[in-house]
Amino acid sequence: MEIERKFEPKKIPAEISSHPCLFIEQAYLCTDPVIRIRRQDDEYYMTYKGKGLMAREEYNLPLNPAAYAHLLTKADGNIISKKRFLIPIEHPCFTADYPAPKEPIGLKIELDVFDPPFAPLVIAEVEFPNEEMAAAFIPPKWLGEDVTNNPEYHNSNLSRRVFKR
């Protein structure tokens, strides 16, 4: 189960280059249901995602580079490439009705900086161990607008976006 909230930051933090960064390329073989292939640095896999916005089923299967390259030729729509910066959230804040975690919970912001044709799009995601924590999370102000419930921010929908040439 993937449980995440999405945000559209208006600016990238100045110290972004001090955080680990992954190069991601992904494409969609199908968007209903979502079947995605992804290269993340030197890892390759296929993902099935169920329906939903904040919470949905997700299954990953490993691929080798040759299988990824073969499937990439069968992708529909845009191939998405982006840099993902992994930013730890040292002291996450939650609403008053949510019990404060007694131990560090390891939340992190996955800040995706998209390459053309999507640039200057930036989307931030935070994954959670349960829906209650996700709902109670108070994001840092710089994360901007919460777009979790807007399906336009799903990468599968971005893959179908048409750009004027």
Side-chain angles (χ1 to χ4, degrees):
M1 177 71 72
E2 176 186 58
I3 302 165
E4 67 182 8
R5 288 185 49 197
K6 292 180 182 248
F7 303 89
E8 185 179 17
K10 298 304 176 201
K11 65 178 192 170
I12 297 173
E15 73 284 351
I16 194 69
S17 61
S18 67
H19 297 287
C21 179
L22 305 168
F23 172 77
I24 295 174
E25 177 184 75
Q26 62 190 39
Y28 291 81
L29 304 176
C30 186
T31 57
D32 188 15
V34 172
I35 301 174
R36 174 189 76 199
I37 57 170
R38 176 182 275 180
R39 175 173 59 109
Q40 182 172 292
D41 289 338
D42 295 326
E43 296 179 4
Y44 302 83
Y45 46 95
M46 179 186 296
T47 302
Y48 166 85
K49 291 188 176 216
K51 293 198 179 298
L53 294 172
M54 185 174 76
R56 59 189 180 158
E57 295 294 322
E58 180 180 271
Y59 303 96
N60 290 309
L61 298 168
L63 292 174
N64 61 42
Y68 175 82
H70 174 75
L71 291 169
L72 191 60
T73 66
K74 302 184 180 328
D76 291 334
N78 301 300
I79 296 172
I80 296 172
S81 63
K82 57 191 177 180
K83 291 178 188 73
R84 173 169 286 173
F85 295 90
L86 306 174
I87 306 167
I89 304 175
E90 300 294 333
H91 303 287
C93 295
F94 299 96
T95 56
D97 60 334
Y98 188 80
K102 295 180 178 24
E103 301 196 13
I105 52 177
L107 292 181
K108 66 180 171 275
I109 297 165
E110 296 178 343
L111 185 73
D112 290 347
V113 179
F114 288 77
D115 294 332
F118 300 98
L121 180 62
V122 176
I123 298 175
E125 300 175 351
V126 180
E127 289 196 26
F128 300 90
N130 58 62
E131 290 184 57
E132 296 76 20
M133 182 182 286
F137 177 68
I138 300 172
K141 294 238 185 277
W142 70 267
L143 281 183
E145 180 183 356
D146 186 332
V147 295
T148 302
N149 294 314
N150 185 340
E152 290 179 29
Y153 288 87
H154 279 209
N155 284 253
S156 58
N157 290 328
L158 291 174
S159 75
R160 295 183 299 176
R161 188 179 287 178
V162 176
F163 293 93
K164 295 180 179 156
R165 305 225 178 220

